[in-house]
Amino acid sequence: MSRTAHEADRDGTRTPHGSAAGPRRPWVVGVSGASGTPYAASVLRALLRAGRPVDLVISRAARLTLLDETGIRLRDAHWRQDVADWLAVNPGTGKPDPALADGVPADDPELLHYWPAGDLAAGPSSGSYPARGMIVAPASAASVAGMALGLSKDLLQRAASVTLKERRPLVVVVRETPLSGPVLRQLAELDAAGAVIVPAAPGFYAGPATVLDLVDFVAGRALEAAGVADAPALYRRWTGELGAARRNTSA
């Protein structure tokens, strides 16, 4: 699974594998075909704003969901522009909101790299690749089954299997409802293997006012579960004071 020090991206750019400060250690963000691509966008925006390198893997089914939910067609040859457009989509309106992408360096090859889901020779497919961990958001029932059974049918499943075997953080943001018995058992198996299961279920104590607030709550909890301590705060934390969020929102 070894790679040269620098490898050409599909769009002609170069893939960084480190700098004078040390080897590049990315978070792998996997996007499966479940509805909920705004959760992945929120996770990506937070990681990139924090200066955390990201390796992005989008399943074939997720491409269809992304097209359906945002109108954006992800193209391997133009992935950087397509991802930048995606990160600027407001989930409440479905329309571009340039303010959402402020401070998100999606054009920085040191920070963001994309691997096609069919590339099983990609960096995250090997345990020797220096990833910090992985967040799968959203996670479909099919991806949960693949991760729990270790199927490695695509790069997303393979990267998750590698994350588990290397004892790195794996956060699974499951977004299916209702959950069947087999899926519940597979989620329990992932929990037993060391993964953290974060249902895409926002809390309302934070005083959400927009759809984006609800999305950011789930993304923020996923980042915390992964141990990303320096990501921007995405939601108002519970302080122990009843009604605090409601009063702050009305003020």
Side-chain angles (χ1 to χ4, degrees), residues 22-46:
R24 180 177 180 272
R25 295 191 61 206
W27 284 95
V28 180
V29 175
V31 187
S32 81
S35 176
T37 56
Y39 295 120
S42 181
V43 167
L44 285 167
R45 284 192 294 263

Side-chain angles (χ1 to χ4, degrees), residues 93 159 188:
T93 65

Side-chain angles (χ1 to χ4, degrees), residues 93-163:
T93 65
K95 298 178 180 179
D97 181 354
L100 279 179
D102 285 349
V104 181
D107 60 345
D108 187 344
E110 282 285 341
L111 287 181
L112 181 61
H113 179 59
Y114 164 78
W115 298 99
D119 186 359
L120 291 177
S125 69
S126 172
S128 65
Y129 187 74
R132 291 185 180 274
M134 184 174 184
I135 300 173
V136 182
S140 65
S143 67
V144 166
M147 289 184 284
L149 297 173
L151 296 182
S152 297
K153 293 181 67 175
D154 63 8
L155 180 58
L156 188 152
Q157 293 181 17
R158 172 59 185 168
S161 294
V162 167
T163 302

